[in-house]
Amino acid sequence: MPIEFLRDNETFTTSDRLPVLPLRDLVLFPYVVIPLLVGRQASLAAVEAAVNADKHLLLVAQKNGEIQEPGADDLYRVGVVARVLQVARVPNGTTKVLVEGIARARVKRFGRPGKLLHATIEPFPVVPGGTASDGQAARRRALTLFEEYVALHRRIPGEVVAMVQAADSEQRQAFGIAAHVSLKHEVRQQILEIPSLPDVFDRLGDILSSETELLNLERKIDDDVRGAMVQNQREFYLQEQLRAIHRELGEDESDDFSDLEAQMKEKALPDAVQTRATRELRKLRRMSPMSPEYTVARNFVDWIVSLPWNERTDDVLDVAHARQTLDADHYGLDEVKDRIIDFIAVLSLVGRIEGPILCLVGPPGVGKTSLGKSIARALGRKFIRMSLGGIRDEAEIRGHRRTYIGSMPGRIIQAMRRAEVVNPVILLDEIDKLGADFRGDPAAALLEVLDPEQNKAFNDHYLEVDYDLSQVLFVTTANSLQGIPDPLRDRMEIIRLAGYLDHEKLAIARQFLVPRQLQTNGLDPAEVTWEPDVLPEIMRNYTREAGVREFERRIGRVGRKLARRIAENPGSIPDRVVRVPDIKGLLGTPPHDPDDVSLEDKIGVAAGLAYTQSGGELLEVEVSAVPGRGKLQLTGTLGDVMKESASAALSYTRSRVDALAIRPDFYRTRDIHVHLPAGATPKDGPSAGIAIATAVISALAQIPVRGDVAMTGEITLRGRVLPIGGLKEKAVAAHRNKVREVIIPHGNLRDLDELPEEVLRTVRFHPVKTMDEVLAIALRGGAGVAAIPPALDQPAAFAKPPAGYEQPTAH
């Protein structure tokens, strides 16, 4: 049965039953003329049948192009009726067919009489759809995007845009755009099956918008790559021109290499280093600057010639000058100053000694870091500070190997490069804050750096040549020795800096802190008057520290308030006198109460001495004994060691119930609660053992503990008192809190020589060996305590009285 297809103003009549030519990975649109290579027997039969009839056949896309003999289920239901324009045989056995798409058709059913595949079809015209304005807007958008798409696409000639825009119908424009856009055949089939023309333009607009963005990105990447290639070619061309110019001038390669060679000769490098550097320089001369290895070799040679190998500063060997310099920068710290002066004295006699490794250990704010600068100034050496806090990578110390991109030497070699001499003073700050992870342990890498027997040939991973660090004076700082590994601690000379006494803080404030803070805030120290009691008031009520850092911040705040007072009254001369009544208005409410440490006698309360990273501290041990079932409760964030001390104190008390006049069954009828105030602060260590035992016995025997006595020492089950550490810091804390009697283990008697004179004059120390001696001193009157020797109030009680020690009057 004949059917008609309308295309623009033309009408085509053909049969409703046409031979089918399946298309693999291809979709034909109406108005498109395209050549096809036909080789399958069924396809050749369809072409032959069309040529023998009216030259019309149906072109339908296959769903899967891999199928050689597609059936009805393998073909789409919408295709294009095409007219065969030309048929030609190709020598390889295939047939070349030129076809023209006429109109869309929908397949009603497929049939296969023999090898030929037929289809019964019906017209599938494009309907206008929507409003005219919507259709025009969609068409213009698609045409604009298609023009931009063709401009970005390298394979579509620009004439295609003009041809599409000049088409005499909207259908021709739509299918012309669809035919020239690079799409998958599934997407082309979807466009072919869209019923209305505005929807076709909408879909084409969306596709073109996405494709245009991709093409823009591809163009940008391509331009970047081409730009980089052009730049590299340009640099190579200019380098070759420069080399040619140097050759014409009679110069050897370039002045750059000549300069490097001259610097290597001036450095007088060690033989092994000279050989290695010369070999690297020889490689550089033969290497192209564009080679990646060129930069690696050049950086290595630059590091070699920039490091000091023989350059040194002349040491100032004047002992008097060193003493004057150290005293001018720091108040007190006699032990450190004596050690530096000893070093200068020996250096003046010997001429050269291996640099010692000093480790300054003390709480924050006592001047450890600034002391390193003073040491360098006293010796006339250059000073380099290197912070080790938070370092976790071993390569930070020893460097990275040159096989890695961006590799560089470690911090030690970098510090030597900044110093430019072989004998600087290098301060390794916060050595106790080193970390460790899967990248290595930096503390282990420091073992070689801080060992005088090994650092003569320090080997950095980047340089891979030996470097002499033996002339460097290393000074390390730490707040505590607990974070320093034992092998590293063994290589350093430990010098402890205890907290400052009150009179030392006041002297430091008057000599250093007040002038510096006033000048920092734009004030002349000579024009500001401080009443005598102002600084003591700030120190006691607004600070509670071993150092002077918070003290300086408070003084700086007073200076800022004075500067503000002057700025707010520019026309008048404001009062520049700092008085005690003004302190609260300048600094606010005092955070500390100087009277919060009570010296009254109390039952179940003993004063213990502890050592923290902030220095010595006085803490009270509170014990409450109430009726119960013998439960022991420990509170105050106590560590395991302190809990064990409490258990040992309780066991000692049970073993001494007869001598202490305590009920023998107290451990079954009384609950004992041990508490250390400041519960949020972690506490640990064995030195609170005798304080806990004293408080427990006082609570059970109802005998008050003397409020003017503090104590420190480890207790055993048999009541022996063992030595402890940090006595200097604890003694300073007792002095700071106005405690006049301190009980210490007899094993710490030798440490009294190291205490400041001010502490020895004001604090009375009682060395004890047993807990019975502790109770005889600490309990008021010793009432109810049997077979306990009297208090030790004669100088003979000291196995070796400290030099200059004056025995206070016994209570």
Side-chain angles (χ1 to χ4, degrees):
M1 178 183 296
I3 56 175
E4 293 184 350
F5 291 92
L6 181 63
R7 189 180 74 172
D8 298 339
N9 296 324
E10 297 180 81
T11 301
F12 297 90
T13 303
T14 185
S15 173
D16 65 343
R17 191 166 179 267
L18 293 177
V20 177
L21 176 61
L23 302 177
R24 290 191 293 188
D25 301 328
L26 176 66
V27 175
L28 181 68
F29 291 101
Y31 304 98
V32 176
V33 178
I34 187 173
L36 302 175
L37 290 176
V38 181
R40 293 183 289 187
Q41 293 298 324
S43 299
L44 290 173
V47 172
E48 185 177 355
V51 171
N52 294 333
D54 58 357
K55 296 186 177 182
H56 290 114
L57 76 167
L58 180 66
L59 302 181
V60 183
Q62 293 182 202
K63 297 178 181 179
N64 185 359
E66 301 294 330
I67 299 177
Q68 291 295 326
E69 296 183 1
D73 296 336
D74 301 321
L75 301 174
Y76 289 103
R77 290 288 174 168
V78 175
V80 174
V81 176
R83 180 170 52 191
V84 179
L85 301 179
Q86 184 179 353
V87 178
R89 300 290 180 181
V90 182
N92 60 4
T94 60
T95 300
K96 185 176 182 180
V97 182
L98 185 66
V99 296
E100 177 190 7
I102 297 176
R104 301 190 303 180
R106 188 190 301 275
V107 177
K108 298 171 66 176
R109 62 180 176 274
F110 288 102
R112 186 186 293 273
K115 293 183 179 181
L116 184 63
L117 180 64
H118 282 86
T120 302
I121 61 174
E122 62 180 359
F124 185 42
V126 178
V127 298
T131 62
S133 59
D134 292 341
Q136 287 297 323
R139 183 179 70 85
R140 291 181 180 179
R141 174 172 175 262
L143 289 174
T144 302
L145 291 173
F146 181 67
E147 183 177 0
E148 184 178 353
Y149 174 82
V150 173
L152 294 172
H153 206 288
R154 301 182 185 276
R155 298 182 181 180
I156 302 178
E159 294 81 0
V160 173
V161 177
M163 181 185 69
V164 172
Q165 291 178 345
D168 53 4
S169 69
E170 294 182 356
Q171 290 188 32
R172 188 183 292 270
Q173 289 179 337
F175 292 124
I177 293 174
H180 287 91
V181 179
S182 300
L183 300 172
K184 294 181 179 180
H185 78 281
E186 292 90 351
V187 180
R188 289 174 172 270
Q189 181 66 32
Q190 293 173 5
I191 295 175
L192 182 66
E193 294 179 0
I194 296 177
S196 66
L197 190 59
D199 291 340
V200 173
F201 279 118
D202 283 338
R203 182 63 189 278
L204 288 174
D206 295 339
I207 293 174
L208 288 170
S209 176
S210 175
E211 291 293 322
T212 302
E213 290 182 5
L214 292 176
L215 288 175
N216 278 319
L217 181 59
E218 291 178 0
R219 176 67 62 87
K220 180 179 181 301
I221 295 174
D222 186 61
D223 291 343
D224 291 343
V225 173
R226 289 177 180 272
M229 292 177 60
V230 170
Q231 180 66 20
N232 291 337
Q233 293 173 355
R234 177 176 177 273
E235 291 178 358
F236 178 77
Y237 177 71
L238 293 177
Q239 289 286 350
E240 291 299 322
Q241 278 190 331
L242 186 60
R243 291 188 179 187
I245 292 172
H246 283 298
R247 285 195 298 268
E248 291 296 329
L249 293 175
E251 298 178 359
D252 185 11
E253 292 295 328
S254 68
D255 291 338
D256 196 13
F257 293 143
S258 301
D259 291 343
L260 287 175
E261 190 172 6
Q263 291 178 34
M264 289 166 53
K265 291 179 180 179
E266 292 176 1
K267 284 284 184 179
L269 303 175
D271 294 339
V273 180
Q274 180 72 40
T275 302
R276 180 67 180 276
T278 303
R279 185 167 66 247
E280 292 292 332
L281 187 59
R282 192 181 301 117
K283 287 170 54 180
L284 274 176
R285 292 181 184 274
R286 298 194 302 264
M287 199 179 299
S288 169
M290 306 303 299
S291 172
E293 293 293 327
Y294 182 88
T295 303
V296 176
R298 177 56 190 265
N299 288 341
F300 173 79
V301 176
D302 285 342
W303 272 100
I304 290 294
V305 299
S306 63
L307 284 173
W309 297 93
N310 298 289
E311 300 85 351
R312 55 180 293 117
T313 55
D314 294 331
D315 292 328
V316 179
L317 303 180
D318 188 351
V319 175
H321 170 268
R323 169 66 72 179
Q324 182 180 0
T325 302
L326 295 173
D327 289 341
D329 292 344
H330 292 82
Y331 184 89
L333 307 180
D334 293 331
E335 184 179 355
V336 187
K337 295 177 181 178
D338 289 341
R339 182 63 183 86
I340 299 303
I341 292 175
D342 292 345
F343 172 76
I344 295 174
V346 175
L347 190 62
S348 64
L349 297 177
V350 178
R352 173 177 173 178
I353 60 175
E354 295 177 351
I357 289 89
L358 306 180
C359 182
L360 308 179
V361 181
V366 296
K368 299 184 297 296
T369 303
S370 60
L371 189 58
K373 297 181 181 178
S374 298
I375 293 173
R377 202 158 69 90
L379 288 170
R381 295 189 178 188
K382 291 190 176 182
F383 175 76
I384 300 295
R385 176 185 172 272
M386 185 168 59
S387 178
L388 300 180
I391 291 181
R392 294 178 173 272
D393 191 356
E394 174 259 351
E396 291 280 349
I397 305 298
R398 303 184 64 94
H400 300 78
R401 300 192 182 279
R402 286 187 289 156
T403 53
Y404 297 104
I405 297 176
S407 59
M408 59 191 306
R411 293 198 176 195
I412 300 297
I413 296 298
Q414 294 180 34
M416 296 303 296
R417 182 182 184 178
R418 293 198 307 271
E420 299 178 345
V421 291
V422 296
N423 62 337
V425 175
I426 296 183
L427 178 72
L428 304 179
D429 211 4
E430 309 292 353
I431 196 172
D432 58 329
K433 307 299 190 302
L434 285 171
D437 59 9
F438 64 93
R439 290 167 291 189
D441 186 359
L446 282 175
L447 294 177
E448 181 183 3
V449 177
L450 300 181
D451 190 343
E453 299 298 327
Q454 299 183 41
N455 61 15
K456 296 177 182 178
F458 173 68
N459 196 285
D460 187 272
H461 288 163
Y462 182 87
L463 297 180
E464 294 181 337
V465 294
D466 292 339
Y467 190 84
D468 187 4
L469 296 174
S470 62
Q471 300 182 56
V472 179
L473 175 57
F474 286 102
V475 180
T476 66
T477 69
N479 295 128
S480 173
L481 293 176
Q482 295 180 358
I484 304 177
D486 291 339
L488 185 59
R489 188 188 313 174
D490 182 63
R491 285 164 166 78
M492 299 184 294
E493 182 177 344
I494 308 298
I495 299 178
R496 292 186 176 273
L497 279 67
Y500 292 115
L501 304 179
D502 288 354
H503 74 280
E504 293 177 327
K505 291 184 180 180
L506 294 175
I508 293 172
R510 294 190 181 99
Q511 295 180 24
F512 302 101
L513 306 185
V514 171
R516 182 166 61 198
Q517 286 299 322
L518 292 180
Q519 291 175 358
T520 301
N521 292 287
L523 301 174
D524 186 359
E527 297 179 358
V528 179
T529 303
W530 299 70
E531 288 189 350
D533 295 334
V534 169
L535 292 177
E537 180 76 11
I538 297 175
M539 180 187 66
R540 297 190 183 99
N541 294 349
Y542 291 89
T543 65
R544 189 64 59 86
E545 58 180 342
V548 292
R549 190 167 290 159
E550 179 65 21
F551 196 12
E552 184 176 8
R553 279 195 286 265
R554 296 291 180 175
I555 294 173
R557 184 173 180 181
V558 173
R560 290 192 297 272
K561 295 295 185 180
L562 293 177
R564 177 180 175 181
R565 185 186 302 172
I566 295 173
E568 291 176 347
N569 300 277
S572 60
I573 302 177
D575 186 11
R576 301 191 183 187
V577 179
V578 184
R579 302 178 178 84
V580 175
D582 301 333
I583 295 299
K584 188 173 182 179
L586 296 173
L587 299 180
T589 303
H592 305 292
D593 183 3
D595 299 326
D596 59 353
V597 178
S598 174
L599 301 180
E600 299 177 356
D601 298 349
K602 299 176 183 176
I603 295 177
V605 179
L609 293 171
Y611 174 64
T612 67
Q613 291 189 358
S614 299
E617 295 288 344
L618 180 71
L619 51 88
E620 291 185 339
V621 179
E622 300 178 350
V623 175
S624 174
V626 296
R629 297 182 179 179
K631 179 182 177 183
L632 175 63
Q633 184 177 4
L634 306 172
T635 57
T637 320
L638 308 184
D640 293 337
V641 177
M642 189 167 285
K643 292 179 181 178
E644 293 171 0
S645 297
S647 300
L650 187 60
S651 298
Y652 165 77
T653 304
R654 291 179 58 184
S655 68
R656 299 284 290 166
V657 290
D658 295 334
L660 299 174
I662 299 174
R663 292 180 55 181
D665 60 345
F666 77 91
Y667 61 91
R668 292 197 300 265
T669 61
R670 293 292 186 108
D671 286 345
I672 298 177
H673 185 177
V674 180
H675 177 70
L676 274 72
T681 304
K683 311 170 190 69
D684 202 3
S687 61
I690 64 173
I692 296 175
T694 301
V696 169
I697 293 171
S698 171
L700 292 173
Q702 291 296 299
I703 301 174
V705 181
R706 290 172 55 184
D708 59 344
V709 174
M711 61 197 73
T712 179
E714 181 180 357
I715 186 175
T716 68
L717 293 177
R718 295 184 297 166
R720 295 173 54 227
V721 179
L722 303 183
I724 45 83
L727 179 63
K728 187 175 182 179
E729 290 80 3
K730 296 175 181 178
V732 171
H735 171 80
R736 187 168 58 244
N737 289 277
K738 297 182 176 57
V739 175
R740 295 294 176 260
E741 306 284 337
V742 175
I743 301 174
I744 63 173
H746 193 275
N748 291 109
L749 189 64
R750 59 185 178 272
D751 299 330
L752 294 180
D753 292 336
E754 300 178 1
L755 300 185
E757 293 293 334
E758 179 73 15
V759 175
L760 291 174
R761 285 197 302 268
T762 57
V763 179
R764 182 183 183 184
F765 294 91
H766 299 268
V768 297
K769 295 182 179 179
T770 64
M771 191 63 204
D772 292 341
E773 300 176 53
V774 175
L775 298 177
I777 301 170
L779 297 181
R780 175 59 66 185
V785 180
I788 295 179
L792 303 176
D793 54 5
Q794 298 297 327
F798 294 99
K800 181 182 177 183
Y805 179 80
E806 297 179 4
Q807 183 71 21
T809 304
H811 290 276

